[in-house]
C-alpha cells in the first residue's frame, strides 16, 4: 500500500483514563493511556477479554468521554461521533427493522452523505451486496440471516459510506475461515484503493499481524499499552506471508505477551485465595 503522509498524526490519546461506576464501586478500565494513530496506519488492539479494548474504541468513536486526559482528531477534541469515523461494533450494529439493502443504504441517506444521487446509491448498495455475497438476501431482514451473514452485512454498511477512519470491534469473529480470509483481502484492497486509517480490535493474533502495520498489546484491566509492535511487511500483502519465519516470530512474540496479560486478568477476576 502506498501510504501517504504516514507521519501525519490524526488521532491522539493523551493520558487517557476511564472508569465506570458499578454496583461494587468505581471500576478503573483504562489507565493513563497515550498513543497516536497516523494517516494510513492500520492499528490492531489485542488483549484479554474485559481489559478495556472496546472502551478505547468507543472513546475514539466519540461515544463515550474519558474521565481524564484528552482525545483529539487532527488536533481538535473528539466530543462525539462523526461521519468521518465509520464504526462497527462487536454486536454488529445492523438495524433489525430494515432489510439487507436498506441497511447498506442507511448511512448513504444520512445528512453527511447526501451528495449522491439515487442511481449512485443503488450502485454502491449493489456493489457491496455482491462483494459480501448477500445478493440473494437483499430483501431479507437480519433475523433471517446467519450470524456470519449479519456480520458481512455490518461490514457492508461500514464500507459503503467510505469513512476516512474505520473503527472495528472484532468484525470477522463470526465468519468461517475461508470467508474471513476473503474479508481480510477485501479490507486490504479497500484500504489500498482509498487510503484509510484503521483501528481494529481482534482476538486473533494472526489476523492482527497479517493486517496491521502496528499492533498494540493491551494489558490486563485497567488497559495500558504494554507494547507497540511494528509490523514491517510492505503492502499489498499476500497470504504466503503467514508461512514466513518472520511472520511466525512476530506472531509468537505477541501471542506470548497476550497470554501473560490473560493470566494477569484471570488472577484479578478470581475470588481471593483462589488465584
Ligand atoms: N458501561 C459500562 N458500565 C460499567 N462497566 C463497564 C461498561 N462498559 C464496560 N464496562 C466494564 O469495563 C471493562 C472493560 O470492558 P470492555 O468492553 O472495554 O472490554 P474488552 O477488552 O472489549 O473485552 P472483550 O474482549 O470481551 O470484548 C469490563 O470489566 C466491563 O465490565
Ligand atoms: Mg470488546
Amino acid at each position: 500500500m502506498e501510504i501517504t503522509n504516514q507521519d501525519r498524526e490524526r488521532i491522539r490519546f493523551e493520558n487517557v483514563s476511564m472508569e465506570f461506576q458499578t454496583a461494587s464501586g468505581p471500576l478503573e478500565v483504562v489507565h493513563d493511556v497515550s498513543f497516536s494513530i497516523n494517516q494510513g496506519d492500520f492499528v490492531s488492539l489485542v488483549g484479554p477479554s474485559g481489559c478495556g479494548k472496546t472502551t478505547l474504541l468507543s472513546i475514539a468513536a466519540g461515544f463515550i468521554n474519558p474521565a481524564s486526559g484528552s482525545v483529539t482528531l487532527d488536533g481538535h477534541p473528539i466530543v462525539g461521533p462523526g461521519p468521518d469515523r465509520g464504526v462497527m461494533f462487536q454486536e454488529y450494529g445492523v438495524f433489525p427493522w430494515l432489510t439487507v439493502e436498506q441497511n447498506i443504504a442507511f448511512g448513504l441517506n444520512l445528512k453527511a452523505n447526501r451528495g449522491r444521487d439515487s442511481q449512485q446509491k443503488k450502485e454502491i448498495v449493489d456493489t457491496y451486496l455482491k462483494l459480501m455475497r448477500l445478493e440473494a438476501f437483499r430483501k431479507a431482514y437480519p433475523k433471517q440471516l446467519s450470524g456470519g451473514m449479519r456480520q458481512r452485512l455490518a461490514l457492508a454498511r461500514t464500507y459503503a459510506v467510505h469513512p476516512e477512519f474505520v473503527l472495528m470491534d472484532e468484525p470477522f469473529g463470526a465468519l468461517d475461515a475461508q470467508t474471513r480470509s476473503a474479508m481480510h483481502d477485501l479490507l486490504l484492497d479497500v484500504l489500498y484503493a482509498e487510503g484509510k486509517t484503521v483501528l481494529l480490535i481482534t482476538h486473533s493474533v494472526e489476523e492482527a499481524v497479517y493486517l496491521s502495520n502496528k499492533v498494540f498489546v493491551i494489558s490486563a484491566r485497567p488497559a495500558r499499552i504494554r507494547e507497540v509492535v511494528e509490523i514491517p511487511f510492505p503492502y499489498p500483502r499476500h497470504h504466503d506471508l503467514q508461512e514466513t519465519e518472520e511472520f511466525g516470530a512476530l506472531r509468537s512474540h505477541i501471542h506470548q505477551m497476550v497470554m501473560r496479560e490473560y493470566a494477569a486478568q484471570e488472577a484479578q477476576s478470581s475470588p481471593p485465595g483462589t488465584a
Side-chain angles (χ1 to χ4, degrees):
M1 184 173 349
E2 204 43 63
I3 294 170
T4 48
N5 296 325
Q6 213 178 3
D7 296 333
R8 184 157 66 98
E9 181 180 282
R10 304 296 310 268
I11 295 177
R12 179 169 191 79
F13 275 53
E14 191 123 20
N15 306 116
V16 168
S17 294
M18 182 69 196
E19 61 178 39
F20 289 113
Q21 299 308 321
T22 70
S24 46
L27 177 73
E28 190 184 32
V29 174
V30 176
H31 181 79
D32 196 19
V33 166
S34 301
F35 63 85
S36 52
I37 300 179
N38 294 342
Q39 173 61 35
D41 268 347
F42 192 126
V43 172
S44 289
L45 306 182
V46 296
S49 180
C51 74
K53 301 179 299 297
T54 297
T55 304
L56 288 170
L57 187 121
S58 303
I59 292 171
F63 287 106
I64 54 177
N65 294 315
S68 62
S70 83
V71 188
T72 53
L73 197 164
D74 294 337
H76 305 290
I78 292 179
V79 289
D84 50 354
R85 281 153 288 147
V87 185
M88 177 174 162
F89 276 111
Q90 225 165 343
E91 58 280 4
Y92 313 160
V94 297
F95 293 132
W97 61 89
L98 297 179
T99 64
V100 165
E101 62 183 358
Q102 288 166 342
N103 260 292
I104 299 175
F106 181 83
L108 300 172
N109 293 323
L110 295 178
K111 198 164 140 224
N113 289 298
R114 282 223 185 108
R116 298 187 180 88
D117 63 34
S118 52
Q119 181 56 31
Q120 284 171 321
K121 284 182 200 164
K122 189 181 170 309
E123 279 168 19
I124 293 172
V125 170
D126 287 347
T127 300
Y128 285 97
L129 279 171
K130 190 157 186 262
L131 282 172
M132 298 299 167
R133 294 187 280 108
L134 290 170
E135 289 153 299
F137 294 87
R138 63 191 306 151
K139 304 283 181 204
Y141 287 89
K143 68 167 187 289
Q144 298 169 300
L145 305 177
S146 71
M149 289 159 79
R150 271 200 296 279
Q151 198 156 41
R152 276 165 14 230
L153 174 58
L155 285 167
R157 277 188 53 159
T158 310
Y159 296 166
V161 295
H162 298 131
E164 265 186 86
F165 298 92
V166 182
L167 314 178
M168 299 197 285
D169 200 345
E170 296 181 41
F172 308 117
L175 305 176
D176 62 78
Q178 287 75 17
T179 308
R180 186 185 260 246
S181 168
M183 290 297 134
H184 287 164
D185 290 337
L186 178 64
L187 175 59
L188 291 178
D189 285 350
V190 170
L191 300 179
Y192 190 70
E194 299 175 13
K196 297 195 185 312
T197 303
V198 184
L199 181 61
L200 173 112
I201 296 174
T202 178
H203 283 290
S204 163
V205 172
E206 186 113 33
E207 176 172 286
V209 177
Y210 183 59
L211 295 175
S212 319
N213 68 330
K214 286 172 197 159
V215 176
F216 293 0
V217 180
I218 310 295
S219 71
R221 191 181 59 236
R224 282 144 297 159
I225 297 181
R226 270 286 175 253
E227 191 174 323
V228 174
V229 183
E230 304 270 345
I231 310 296
F233 311 119
Y235 297 91
R237 292 181 183 173
H238 188 269
H239 289 281
D240 293 349
L241 175 64
Q242 301 183 25
E243 312 304 326
T244 65
E245 239 172 74
E246 206 181 352
F247 186 96
L250 282 164
R251 181 184 49 204
S252 57
H253 171 67
I254 295 171
H255 183 69
Q256 276 169 20
M257 272 193 295
V258 172
M259 290 307 285
R260 214 174 297 140
E261 297 306 326
Y262 178 85
Q265 176 99 13
E266 284 286 288
Q268 244 183 49
S269 32
S270 311
T274 61

